[in-house]
Amino acid sequence: MSEKTPVDFWFDPLCPWAWMTSRWVLEVEKVRDIEVRWHLMSLAVLNEPKLDELPEEYRELLETKAWGPVRVVIAAQQEHGAKVLGDLYTALGTRFHNQGEGPTKEAVAAALDEVGLPASLLDHWDSTPYEAELRASHKEGIEKVGQDVGTPVIAVPGADGEQIAFFGPVVTPAPKGEEAAKLWDGTLLVASVPGFYEIKRSRSQGPDFSNL
């Protein structure tokens, strides 16, 4: 049997677009021989250097709601291993986005309970001794693509097996079945072209969670 193709995926549970892409890559696991490896990044960390330049509403979101969830998630990873990240992200994203609860402490508590992680991880909501680890995980992902992007970041095999990372793909709704496979095949195709950087168009609709 051939080894599964590794896909490294950096996410912030706050981001609805990362959530959409994560559901796509999990669909790809059903139709292509891949294995997703989850990593944490942080929109709060990403936007620290330009916080004063952001729209007031987005700045307030980052300052009041972005830190708590990622602090809890990095604590879960550090204390219980990277194996917990996928299921915890699914539990968080389902509540934050599909069910419309948002990134509240109550939603995070329910997600921890669902995946069998201790409620004591919520003690990391306001501060955590694992901030260095959070920033290191974020740095690992963002250095692969540059500072002028966001979440998600995915890294896939490129030419000669070298790993190539992209921001995105940004897609809504999350493709299913053969559509998911086609987008994956296209991602590998562009990753195989040396010097390829981006294809982009303006988004004309918001995240659609209706098929999740």
Side-chain angles (χ1 to χ4, degrees), residues 21-32 34 36 174-181:
T21 307
S22 74
R23 298 312 92 181
W24 160 70
V25 80
L26 287 179
E27 185 74 9
V28 175
E29 276 195 325
K30 302 175 185 177
V31 294
R32 292 291 186 268
I34 72 166
V36 183
K176 300 289 188 180
E178 186 55 28
E179 289 297 314

Side-chain angles (χ1 to χ4, degrees), residues 120-158:
S120 60
L121 288 168
L122 281 173
D123 295 343
H124 296 269
W125 184 268
D126 293 314
S127 64
T128 180
Y130 304 120
E131 182 164 337
E133 289 80 359
L134 169 61
R135 291 178 179 273
S137 179
H138 173 88
K139 181 180 179 182
E140 181 186 12
I142 208 67
E143 283 190 343
K144 294 178 181 293
V145 289
Q147 294 290 331
D148 57 340
V149 299
T151 176
V153 170
I154 65 168
V156 303

Side-chain angles (χ1 to χ4, degrees), residues 76-209:
Q77 177 190 2
Q78 292 298 307
E79 296 181 8
H80 300 276
K83 63 184 183 296
V84 306
L85 286 182
D87 288 343
L88 180 55
Y89 183 27
T90 292
L92 290 169
T94 299
R95 285 171 173 78
F96 288 6
H97 306 297
N98 295 7
Q99 298 175 4
E101 297 177 30
T104 65
K105 200 170 187 178
E106 293 75 17
V108 175
L112 291 172
D113 182 66
E114 179 184 333
V115 299
L117 289 170
S120 60
L121 288 168
L122 281 173
D123 295 343
H124 296 269
W125 184 268
D126 293 314
S127 64
T128 180
Y130 304 120
E131 182 164 337
E133 289 80 359
L134 169 61
R135 291 178 179 273
S137 179
H138 173 88
K139 181 180 179 182
E140 181 186 12
I142 208 67
E143 283 190 343
K144 294 178 181 293
V145 289
Q147 294 290 331
D148 57 340
V149 299
T151 176
V153 170
I154 65 168
V156 303
D160 301 322
E162 179 184 0
Q163 199 177 53
I164 301 295
F166 296 113
F167 162 58
V170 176
V171 59
T172 188
K176 300 289 188 180
E178 186 55 28
E179 289 297 314
K182 286 166 58 178
L183 181 55
W184 167 251
D185 294 342
T187 301
L188 287 186
L189 180 62
V190 297
S192 72
V193 178
F196 174 84
Y197 289 101
E198 67 177 306
I199 296 174
K200 187 173 183 178
R201 62 173 177 161
S202 297
R203 293 195 293 261
S204 59
Q205 60 178 315
D208 178 359
F209 308 123

